Amino acid sequence: MVSTPYSLSSLRMISTVSNNPSFQPTNSFPTNLGSRKWSNVSARMRPAMAEATSSLTYQKFVQFALEETRNHTHLAPSSLQERFGSLSAMDGRTQLQVQSFESPKIRLLRSLSIEGSDGMQVLDFAIFPRAEFDLPIFCANFFTTSAINIVVLDLNPLHDVISQHDYKKKYYTHLIPLGLKYGELLPWGGRITAESMKFFSPIVIWTKFPASEQKHHLLYSAFVDYLKSWLELMDRASGETDASRIMVNLEAQHKYLTWRAEKDPGHQVLRKLVGEIHAKEIIKSFLFSGVDELGSRTFIDYFPEYKCDDGTVNQKRSMIGKSFQSRPWDTRGEFIGDSLS
């Protein structure tokens, strides 16, 4: 359940992978292996790969995030903790752990981690600022099986960084070297829809790689550095006093939440684990809490191009029909893709 603000084509494999633990990346083995030999090799390696992956959990990530955040601010338990803290999977084997907090500058810090008996692991960790602050939204979405990792790590911009140069300069220009560093170590993961780019920053890490201890440690390093960078931004942030600016921030965050709640590709995995009703409740009321409270506009209000003739939401991944196979930001953090409008 890699929950992302984007309908990434690659993340559509999530439900397939979770139902098929033997999935292997297409380039995992030499292509000259015969089908029988492939089957034998794959069967021998799967248990070992699953065992190795199961020892690499995301609990270290969550523990660091909470400890480091507490070094910067006081975290108080969110009311969502009591409501969602006792989640359990229908299969009786998959572990779901939920944590949620708030602070003077943080509307919601929340984490959902999943550990499956088949080696599947998920971390969906996010920090949403209060509306008085135009801070980016910290976003870490990691999906792991014994064969592959699918990763999104970013400081999602609250406002447009493609046309609003002042906002980009305020929060991202000094972080471009950090993005370049990890963009080199964790290369671009393939096609991503043009609509999705509106919710990404110039330092986004979108990547896929075969499961390995080395990559896991590298991802942890990136998570640490990105979180520290976000907390430093939070420390320096001054609260807005202009009511009109606060409303602009509030609407921007509501638009973000509305997009994510509608397009979250982890719905299928959650539905398998807890059922359709609970999956929808987790997505709207926990992962993207605020979509029903921070504003009244609907997904169609924000994104009318997705409206079908009968008024329902078109489930197509992209209405623009444009995608980016390679990173659409240059080394200066300038967007080099075509116009998204």
Side-chain angles (χ1 to χ4, degrees):
M1 189 216 60
V2 179
S3 169
T4 60
Y6 0 86
S7 61
L8 304 172
S9 59
S10 298
L11 294 182
R12 288 184 177 276
M13 72 175 71
I14 288 177
S15 58
T16 302
V17 172
S18 64
N19 289 318
N20 181 12
S22 65
F23 170 83
Q24 300 288 344
T26 56
N27 60 350
S28 295
F29 294 95
T31 56
N32 60 352
L33 285 176
S35 59
R36 180 174 299 177
K37 184 179 290 186
W38 163 274
S39 178
N40 292 338
V41 170
S42 178
R44 289 197 302 270
M45 291 194 67
R46 274 200 300 273
M49 292 173 68
E51 182 178 352
T53 303
S54 64
S55 66
L56 303 174
T57 75
Y58 287 122
Q59 293 311 306
K60 179 181 178 181
F61 291 62
V62 177
Q63 181 179 357
F64 168 80
L66 296 181
E67 291 176 354
E68 185 65 18
T69 304
R70 287 190 176 105
N71 290 333
H72 292 256
T73 188
H74 172 71
L75 287 180
S78 163
S79 59
L80 296 176
Q81 185 64 41
E82 181 177 354
R83 181 177 174 186
F84 292 96
S86 59
L87 284 178
S88 59
M90 295 186 298
D91 63 11
R93 301 185 304 274
T94 303
Q95 300 297 313
L96 293 86
Q97 295 189 32
V98 165
Q99 300 202 57
S100 60
F101 301 90
E102 58 186 30
S103 83
K105 294 183 179 180
I106 295 173
R107 182 180 67 84
L108 177 64
L109 179 157
R110 55 86 173 143
S111 171
L112 171 63
S113 57
I114 301 173
E115 294 189 4
S117 58
D118 58 357
M120 181 192 75
Q121 293 191 62
V122 173
L123 175 63
D124 190 333
F125 185 95
I127 308 177
F128 301 96
R130 295 193 182 274
E132 292 82 2
F133 304 90
D134 64 357
L135 286 162
I137 297 166
F138 183 87
C139 163
N141 302 140
F142 308 149
F143 177 82
T144 297
T145 69
S146 59
I148 195 169
N149 287 264
I150 304 174
V151 167
V152 176
L153 177 63
D154 195 17
L155 309 188
N156 292 155
L158 190 64
H159 301 296
D160 181 17
V161 290
I162 296 175
S163 61
Q164 296 186 27
H165 301 291
D166 289 346
Y167 186 78
K168 186 175 76 169
K169 182 177 180 181
K170 181 179 181 180
Y171 287 120
Y172 296 102
T173 299
H174 71 289
L175 294 177
I176 295 302
L178 179 68
L180 292 175
K181 171 186 174 181
Y182 286 109
E184 185 81 17
L185 297 170
L186 298 166
W188 193 254
R191 291 191 180 279
I192 183 170
T193 64
E195 289 95 333
S196 303
M197 292 310 303
K198 297 179 181 180
F199 300 95
F200 277 133
S201 84
I203 65 169
V204 62
I205 297 174
W206 149 235
T207 190
K208 295 181 291 183
F209 51 82
S212 75
E213 184 173 358
Q214 178 186 12
K215 288 289 190 179
H216 186 83
H217 293 321
L218 178 57
L219 181 59
Y220 177 73
S221 176
F223 180 86
V224 166
D225 287 346
Y226 273 55
L227 181 65
K228 285 183 175 180
S229 297
W230 189 90
L231 291 170
E232 289 173 2
L233 295 177
M234 181 194 73
D235 288 343
R236 297 197 298 266
S238 298
E240 182 62 69
T241 57
D242 184 332
S244 63
R245 293 303 307 167
I246 293 175
M247 287 302 299
V248 169
N249 293 340
L250 190 66
E251 181 170 334
Q253 190 169 150
H254 186 251
K255 181 178 182 179
Y256 173 97
L257 293 168
T258 302
W259 172 268
R260 294 202 59 176
E262 178 67 36
K263 292 296 181 179
D264 177 31
H267 187 175
Q268 298 303 318
V269 174
L270 271 178
R271 184 171 64 180
K272 178 185 176 184
L273 292 175
V274 299
E276 177 68 18
I277 294 176
H278 290 311
K280 287 184 176 180
E281 184 181 17
I282 292 168
I283 289 172
K284 293 196 68 176
S285 299
F286 181 77
L287 292 179
F288 309 119
S289 175
V291 72
D292 288 333
E293 295 81 22
L294 300 186
S296 59
R297 298 185 69 183
T298 67
F299 181 87
I300 293 298
D301 291 333
Y302 286 123
F303 311 101
E305 64 272 21
Y306 278 87
K307 184 178 181 179
C308 295
D309 292 339
D310 62 359
T312 59
V313 176
N314 193 314
Q315 297 302 309
K316 287 181 64 175
R317 188 171 57 88
S318 171
M319 298 305 296
I320 297 177
K322 184 187 302 180
S323 61
F324 300 98
Q325 178 64 38
S326 57
R327 190 177 190 87
W329 307 90
D330 67 16
T331 56
R332 297 175 300 150
E334 297 294 327
F335 187 74
I336 55 176
D338 294 333
S339 172
L340 299 183
S341 60

